[in-house]
Structures are given as structure tokens and as C-alpha cells.
């Protein structure tokens, strides 16, 4: 079941100590600004919810996990302030995931592009299917993956993000992503993934929540400056999207 709402959908269900946050959008689960704001708020609330120990982040349907930022909203950016606000959406979500008191497990069931790769990278553990290929296509439309780069580089390293981002029209397989450290486990089917995911999250949720919280802080050590860094990167990207080069590239892409 997928949503037809143009502003997207966001649902949270809590079973035991596991909260599952599911986002959706008719355009291949891409993110409009409003949906990014809602996801940030939801993650911040769950972070303070004592009844929850683990968060599963998933998207609707059985096809794309996330197509990144909304193309229509990207086209609509008309000034520097709008550009900064638009790209700050992913910055806020990544920072909410980074500072969240709960372990976040990603469920990546299909292809993921741009900001979607950033979301996967900001998870603490990721289950994926063989169909979960990845691509950082930003350079093809005249911008760069500046906002999500710290999260992706933290997981896969400088050499791999260079390869991924400079070959901007090339899909990398789920096994490539696993080898580089973005995905923790890769499964042949969604059914197999979900079976193992349920088992894993139930086990994870049985651990001391204080220990999980303290350990997550250690895992994310050295990222406190991201609060400023990612917002600054959003401003740079907002400037790039207004350039004549990018405007022409976006127009060709839309046609």
C-alpha cells in the first residue's frame, strides 16, 4: 500500500519496545520539505520516549526506498534563503538521527538515491535487499551531495564516497554498499529481510536502554559540529541550485 498524498505520509507504530517509523510519497518515496520536518519531529519525540528502545526506519511499498529530495520542490527554489531552508531538511533529519537516544535500524527494501543514501548512512544498523542499489546523482543536476556527505563518509570512507559521487550516473549494487559498510546485512527477498529484522530488533530492544544510549554516543563521537556543518552545507547547496548551470540541467532533466 502506498500513499497518494502530495505532502507524503508518516506513520509510527509501537510494538513492545520497537517503534517503526514509515514514510511514503507517491514520487518513489521522495521527501518534500513538510515530510522532512515531520520526520525530524517524530524522531526527536521518540528519542525521549522511555517506552521505546529501538527505532526501525522504513518506507512504503516494495520498490524504491527513497528517491531523495522532491524534484518539484527543488525546481521551485527561487532565492538563497529558500535554498538553504530546502536543503536544511535533510540536515535536520540526519542530526535528529545522530543525536537520537535510541538505536535506529534502517530497512532498505529497494533503490535509494541522494538524500536516501544519507538516511541509510545515518542509521546505526541497516538491513537491505539485493534490490537496494544506491546512487549519488547530485553532480548530474549541477549540485553536490554536500549535506549528506559527512554521514555517508563516516560509514563508507573517503575513497568509496569519491567513487560513488563522481560516477554520478552509475548504480552501485547492494553488495557493494555492504562491502563498503553502508549496509550491515543483505537479503534475497523482503520476506527474508523482515523475518530477520524482527528477530534482530526484538533482541536489540531487550538490552539495557541506558547501555544502548551510552554506546550510541560513543559510536557517534566527534560529530557534535554537524549541527553547524550540515546547515552550512545546506546554504552552499542552496546557492548551487540557483546557478545557471543547475537551472539548465534541471530543465533538461525534467523534459
Amino acid at each position: 500500500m502506498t500513499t497518494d498524498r502530495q505532502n507524503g505520509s508518516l506513520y509510527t507504530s509501537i510494538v513492545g519496545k520497537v517503534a517503526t517509523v514509515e514514510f511514503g510519497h507517491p514520487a518513489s518515496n521522495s521527501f518534500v520539505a513538510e515530510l522532512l520536518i515531520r520526520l525530524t519531529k517524530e524522531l526527536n519525540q521518540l528519542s525521549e520516549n522511555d517506552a521505546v528502545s529501538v527505532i526501525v526506519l522504513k518506507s512504503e511499498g516494495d520498490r524504491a526506498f527513497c528517491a531523495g529530495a522532491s524534484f518539484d520542490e527543488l525546481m521551485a527554489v527561487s532565492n538563497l534563503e529558500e535554498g538553504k531552508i530546502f536543503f536544511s531538511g535533510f540536515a535536520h533529519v540526519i542530526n535528529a538521527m545522530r543525536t537520537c537516544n535510541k538505536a535506529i535500524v534502517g530497512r532498505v527494501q529497494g533503490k535509494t538515491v541522494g538524500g536516501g543514501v544519507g538516511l541509510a548512512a545515518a542509521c546505526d544498523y541497516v538491513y537491505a535487499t539485493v534490490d537496494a542499489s544506491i546512487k549519488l546523482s547530485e553532480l548530474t543536476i549541477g549540485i553536490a551531495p554536500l549535506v549528506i556527505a559527512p554521514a555517508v563518509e563516516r560509514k563508507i570512507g573517503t575513497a568509496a564516497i569519491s567513487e560513488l559521487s563522481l560516477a554520478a550516473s552509475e548504480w552501485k549494487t547492494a553488495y557493494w554498499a555492504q562491502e563498503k559498510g553502508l549496509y550491515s546485512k543483505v537479503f534475497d527477498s523482503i520476506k527474508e529481510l523482515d523475518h530477520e529484522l524482527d528477530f534482530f530488533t526484538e533482541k536489540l530492544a531487550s538490552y539495557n536502554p541506558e547501555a544502548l544510549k551510552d554506546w550510541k554516543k560513543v559510536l557517534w563521537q566527534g560529530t557534535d559540529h554537524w549541527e553547524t556543518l550540515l546547515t552550512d552545507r545546506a546554504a552552499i547547496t542552496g546557492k548551487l541550485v540557483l546557478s545557471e548551470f543547475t537551472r539548465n540541467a534541471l530543465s533538461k532533466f525534467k523534459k
Side-chain angles (χ1 to χ4, degrees):
M1 186 71 181
T2 54
T3 186
D4 58 1
R5 294 181 184 177
Q6 289 308 305
N7 285 331
S9 64
L10 190 73
Y11 298 105
T12 299
S13 61
I14 299 175
V15 178
K17 293 183 177 181
V18 180
T20 299
V21 180
E22 181 174 342
F23 64 88
H25 191 276
S28 299
N29 292 328
S30 57
F31 273 93
V32 293
E34 183 186 319
L35 191 55
L36 288 166
I37 291 168
R38 289 171 64 195
L39 179 56
T40 301
K41 186 178 178 183
E42 186 65 23
L43 290 168
N44 286 335
Q45 287 177 343
L46 289 171
S47 179
E48 302 304 319
N49 187 337
D50 292 338
V52 170
S53 288
V54 176
I55 298 170
V56 173
L57 182 65
K58 64 181 288 190
S59 65
E60 289 184 347
D62 57 3
R63 297 178 71 84
F65 170 70
C66 178
S70 163
F71 189 78
D72 288 340
E73 287 196 0
L74 190 64
M75 291 283 291
V77 171
S78 62
N79 58 57
L80 288 172
E81 187 59 24
E82 283 181 7
K84 181 181 179 181
I85 291 169
F86 177 75
F87 289 105
S88 289
F90 273 103
H92 296 325
V93 169
I94 289 171
N95 275 320
M97 294 173 74
R98 174 181 69 83
T99 58
C100 185
N101 290 323
K102 319 298 178 182
I104 300 176
V105 181
R107 176 192 180 271
V108 183
Q109 84 284 15
K111 288 183 175 180
T112 187
V113 184
V117 178
L119 286 187
C123 291
D124 300 300
Y125 204 94
V126 178
Y127 276 61
T129 70
V130 289
D131 298 317
S133 304
I134 61 171
K135 182 165 68 171
L136 290 183
S137 57
E138 284 84 347
L139 286 173
T140 65
I141 56 169
I143 59 175
L146 293 163
V147 174
I148 64 167
V152 180
E153 187 177 355
R154 171 182 169 268
K155 275 288 176 75
I156 70 175
T158 306
I161 195 175
S162 296
E163 183 182 341
L164 184 61
S165 58
L166 294 175
S169 59
E170 185 180 305
W171 288 100
K172 296 292 188 184
T173 69
Y175 288 115
W176 185 91
Q178 182 185 25
E179 180 193 330
K180 302 302 180 186
L182 182 68
Y183 297 156
S184 311
K185 299 278 180 70
V186 175
F187 298 93
D188 289 334
S189 68
I190 293 176
K191 184 179 179 182
E192 190 183 350
L193 182 158
D194 284 338
H195 176 75
E196 294 296 327
L197 179 65
D198 287 347
F199 179 78
F200 177 75
T201 52
E202 194 176 314
K203 191 79 171 170
L204 197 58
S206 72
Y207 301 150
N208 182 349
E210 285 299 312
L212 281 173
K213 177 182 173 182
D214 290 340
W215 182 234
K216 177 162 177 171
K217 284 180 180 176
V218 171
L219 293 176
W220 283 90
Q221 208 165 356
T223 62
D224 289 348
H225 64 296
W226 285 18
E227 202 68 51
T228 305
L229 175 66
L230 302 193
T231 307
D232 289 346
R233 295 277 186 91
I236 297 169
T237 316
K239 186 178 178 183
L240 283 172
V241 85
L242 293 170
S243 69
E244 187 180 351
F245 185 102
T246 302
R247 284 298 171 206
N248 290 336
L250 286 170
S251 296
K252 288 176 186 173
F253 193 82
K254 192 167 187 181
K255 287 171 186 173

